[in-house]
Amino acid sequence: MTEQQGDLQLIGVTKRFGAFTAVDDLTLTVPRGSFFALLGASGCGKTTTLRMIAGLEEPTAGQVLLGDQDVTNLRPYKRPVNTVFQSYALFPHLSISDNVAFGLRRRGVKQYADQVEQMLHLVEMDGFGKRKPSQLSGGQQQRVALARALINRPQVLLLDEPLGALDLKLRRQMQVELKRIQTEVGITFVHVTHDQEEAMTMADTVAVMNAGRIEQLGAPVEMYDFPGTAFVANFLGQSNLLAAEVHGRSGDDLLVEAYGTRYTVPAARARAAEGTVWLGVRPEKLHLTTGEVPSGHQSATGLVTDSSYMGVSTQYLVRAPWGDELTVFVPNSGVAAPLSVASEVTVHWRPEHAFLLPRPAGETHAPVVDPEEVAA
């Protein structure tokens, strides 16, 4: 669509509202042409960060750069940036074509019909130009809002919870569509969301925010497979975290003890290699048996306390001897009979599927993360 002018950079960006620090000394680079997601619970500072990029909030400190251009003090309309919000904000009295053309007409562009048609084709809304917004579904209105932003050829497109008002099926469809459109136009997308599935489905890079800071940044698959902190482990999906201590090393493995049982974890899978740690395993990497444990697997015994059928898998809660419940996802492959509540089972896993995370001394219960626990 247009050659990109450079990376988006935030350098030491801080935003305070009185005594409250919403964004705390944030430094990051969003590579040009990438799909970047800011992921976090409501109130973590992600929307404030987006608004500072857009020019809708002024940083208390720090710089916002687009390529070599410092845009920190530029008014919003002077920035090569457009924003798509959760509320589509289409003009109800204008046709779809006129809505899409709005930005061009404000800039005095006279010949815009072909560009409008190209944009409507890009978002798969051919033939809808003469309709009014009230004649469209929520998903269709979102596509029009996207076309209206893209027609201005911004260097960066900001997406603020753009799919939040859609139902689950349509939201998943639009996730695929947004990624397709971003790949096709090559514009830098910065997407703010509290929805982990949204971020992981679409983004090349995800930054997990917590209390105004970036907790971890990286490719979705890497962050999910090997989280950096207990917060990230339980924000990107679920994790079983056992309070453990490192007692030494044997070759490439660390020797850890949790609740009186010795385990091994590959040193390459450790974010902390000494002292108190969390021993983590994802629920889908755990297996259940009422018989023999496969050779080389780690294990813990327990009692099934709950069983929830979830379609492709069944979620079991297993109370371990130390009192915590382990979450286990078992595929519904039809091979094994379902386990009933109160069954005595052994939970087991491969050592290379575990990971070690730092654990503050004295902390025995992992943080519980609810993406929507804080009001927006």
Side-chain angles (χ1 to χ4, degrees), residues 41 210 230-231 233-235 237 239 241 278 363 365-371 373:
N210 181 26
F231 180 88
N234 273 326
F235 197 88
S239 290
L241 299 178
W278 294 112
E363 191 171 293
H365 294 285
V368 177
V369 180
D370 181 355
E373 65 186 352

Side-chain angles (χ1 to χ4, degrees), residues 109-321:
V109 176
K110 301 296 184 183
Q111 305 297 323
Y112 52 77
D114 287 347
Q115 292 185 58
V116 169
E117 287 302 313
Q118 289 171 13
M119 283 298 111
L120 289 176
H121 177 70
L122 177 68
V123 299
E124 299 184 345
M125 291 292 290
D126 301 270
F128 285 81
K130 294 182 179 179
R131 298 194 190 184
K132 294 290 180 65
S134 61
Q135 296 174 288
L136 304 184
S137 68
Q140 290 170 331
Q141 290 185 47
Q142 185 59 280
R143 290 170 188 264
V144 174
L146 193 60
R148 184 177 62 181
L150 288 171
I151 202 169
N152 295 313
R153 290 172 165 78
Q155 280 180 238
V156 179
L157 183 67
L158 306 176
L159 302 157
D160 188 8
E161 301 275 8
L163 310 182
L166 306 180
D167 62 52
L168 180 60
K169 184 176 181 181
L170 189 53
R171 194 158 67 240
R172 287 178 172 165
Q173 179 186 340
M174 282 301 296
Q175 289 169 12
V176 175
E177 284 300 303
L178 272 176
K179 181 59 180 173
R180 175 189 66 80
I181 291 167
Q182 191 275 330
T183 302
E184 190 167 332
V185 299
I187 286 174
T188 304
F189 278 26
V190 178
H191 179 209
V192 157
T193 182
H194 67 268
D195 188 317
Q196 55 180 282
E197 180 186 286
E198 244 179 53
M200 294 179 70
T201 298
M202 295 188 289
D204 307 310
T205 304
V206 175
V208 175
M209 288 193 71
N210 181 26
R213 290 177 172 267
I214 294 205
E215 191 94 2
Q216 188 178 358
L217 182 151
V221 63
E222 295 168 3
M223 292 175 64
Y224 183 86
D225 187 56
F226 191 17
T229 66
F231 180 88
V232 173
N234 273 326
F235 197 88
L236 282 179
Q238 300 178 50
S239 290
N240 296 290
L241 299 178
L242 284 61
E245 291 187 20
V246 177
H247 284 286
R249 182 166 181 152
S250 176
D252 293 332
D253 295 332
L254 294 175
L255 307 176
V256 301
E257 182 176 319
Y259 311 108
T261 302
R262 291 292 182 97
Y263 299 104
T264 62
V265 178
R269 300 275 296 163
R271 300 287 186 184
E274 59 183 21
T276 56
V277 294
W278 294 112
L279 192 167
V281 191
R282 294 286 188 183
E284 69 275 11
K285 299 294 177 66
L286 294 180
H287 309 277
L288 295 179
T289 183
T290 55
E292 295 290 321
V293 174
S295 176
H297 282 218
Q298 319 267 288
S299 65
T301 58
L303 203 67
V304 176
T305 57
D306 187 71
S307 170
S308 300
Y309 181 80
M310 302 174 70
V312 296
S313 65
T314 295
Q315 174 184 284
Y316 291 101
L317 298 182
V318 178
R319 186 173 299 282

Side-chain angles (χ1 to χ4, degrees), residues 68-90:
D68 296 328
Q69 183 185 14
D70 187 339
V71 300
T72 311
N73 299 312
L74 281 186
R75 301 294 296 272
Y77 65 88
K78 290 188 175 181
R79 301 187 185 203
V81 169
N82 272 107
T83 307
V84 177
F85 298 99
Q86 181 175 334
S87 56
Y88 317 125
L90 300 179

